[in-house]
Amino acid sequence: MTLRKDFLWGGAVAAHQLEGGWNEDGKGISVADVMTVGANGVERRITDGVLPNENYPNHEAIDFYHRYKEDVALFAELGLKCFRTSIAWTRIFPKGDETEPNEAGLQFYDDLFDECLKYGIEPVITLSHFEMPYHLVTAYGGWRNRKLIDFFVTFAETVFKRYKNKVKYWMTFNEINNQSNFLEDFAPFTNSGLRFTAGEDREQIMYQAAHYELVASARAVKIGHEINPDFQIGSMIAMCPIYPATMKPRDIMKAQVAMQRRYWFSDVHARGHYPSYLTAYFKRRGYHIDITSEDKQDLAAGTVDYIGFSYYMSFAVKDTDNGAGFDYDEARELIRNTYVEASEWGWQIDPLGLRYAMNWFAERYELPLFIVENGFGAVDEVVDGKIYDDYRINYLKAHIEQMKDAVEIDGVDLLGYTPWGFIDLVSAGTGEMKKRYGMIYVDKDNDGNGTLNRSKKESFEWYQRVIASNGEIL
Ligand code: P53
């Protein structure tokens, strides 16, 4: 077996990380618009609304909103077969609870998708990528509120109908499982618009919010297929396989439980029901999650068509507590894997982990896979006007090799590969420009200075060859 002839080589971004134009043409404030710039090891702050004298890097981002035509022309030169981006929910429903959409927002994506299709680049669209309307946080408490299901489904239905002849590949919630890291503030807020008060049980609230999202996702899948039976609607999971630290049986079991805590989301997406390990866990913890019989029917009727996932790194865990429940705390219990290198931001570089992850998904769900993010965040230096990013090429090459082995040797069914941030953009985790993933350089620094000019890095020509040879020349 080799890669499909129509393999979707592409590139991935998200609206809030590149568009800018944060308050233009009727766009509302999103959760990304109230997050300040952070740094390596310094968390982004979440402010109460948009405040003066703060640096909000997503407000301008790389100004794709005004420059998309030139950018898409560059994407075409790169040879992309597909372009993964998201639709900023707040361009379509600025506050999230309106009944009528904002036409200017809909028009922007019509124009963007037309521009892509003009070059034969297929849009691959995420509905909710860390950019839900901020109003849904302040007025409803984010996804802890069941009402959000209807708001999201209205949004999904609106864009499915509008773009039914322009977009075939969709995903519902970006990295829905990041929030398994519920003790930190970032993931619950970016995934689900959750803010906690002292003393609240964060874990239980996270399960409730995720349940409503999974129901909303399933309802969207069902409606999407009614609107266009050719739609392929996938999940989007942040896959960081969790290895046991040693061959000690307790470490092995601990890693298995840790995987359950991080990947039950895709079990529900793909199988349409809750795994028994999770219902047993809810019972043991005394969690009463609002799951109705109608919800269960919705989940069963809206299973995903493929597993979209990101892959950057692997994790490792060690058993420390000796308890029978093997309870796992992602914020504190991960350990450094000494067998692999790490990036400057501490992300462990493990190409073989991608092949492992692909096999794990394929045998668990027997669905096609789509690698919708992979990449290397690094500091680039301009030398004589050019960036020689062989470190990035090496990372991508090593991962593509493993991806091909998973397809060719292990028989995994893979739809495509879209490296993350192939045009430099604002980092989600830190808000930095300095943590770059791109093959296209964007002249802008962490303080917002720079011409915003675009230029090609060494990796641009490299990836061009990879695509042109369908992955034969790496
Ligand atoms: P940044 C954590 C772990 C894995 C992927 O991340 C993650 C995160 C959140 O930081 O996010 C995804 O920009 C996400 C993108 C994000 C990209 O990975 O923190 O889907 O929005 O930019 C890279 O380096």
Side-chain angles (χ1 to χ4, degrees), residues 132 136 140 142-143 145-153:
M132 61 184 279
L136 297 181
Y140 298 90
W143 278 94
N145 193 321
R146 180 177 275 281
K147 291 198 178 112
L148 266 76
I149 299 176
D150 285 335
F151 299 147
F152 176 83
V153 172

Side-chain angles (χ1 to χ4, degrees), residues 16-17 19-22 32-33 35 44 56-61 426 431:
H16 69 104
Q17 288 171 266
E19 285 179 3
W22 72 286
D33 293 324
M35 295 180 73
R44 306 180 70 174
Y56 296 110
N58 301 75
H59 285 196
E60 180 190 56
V426 177

Side-chain angles (χ1 to χ4, degrees), residues 13-14 16-17 84 129-130 174-175 178 186 190 236 238-240 262 310 312-313 315 345 347 373 377 420 425-432 435 437:
V13 300
H16 69 104
Q17 288 171 266
R84 173 180 177 234
H129 191 135
F130 305 173
N174 187 64
E175 294 189 336
N178 275 355
F186 175 82
T190 50
M236 192 339 195
M239 170 43 89
C240 310
R262 222 185 128 77
S310 65
Y312 293 90
M313 58 188 149
F315 292 159
W345 280 262
W347 290 25
E373 288 183 29
W420 175 255
L425 38 63
V426 177
S427 155
T430 67
E432 294 170 286
K435 190 182 186 190
Y437 288 85

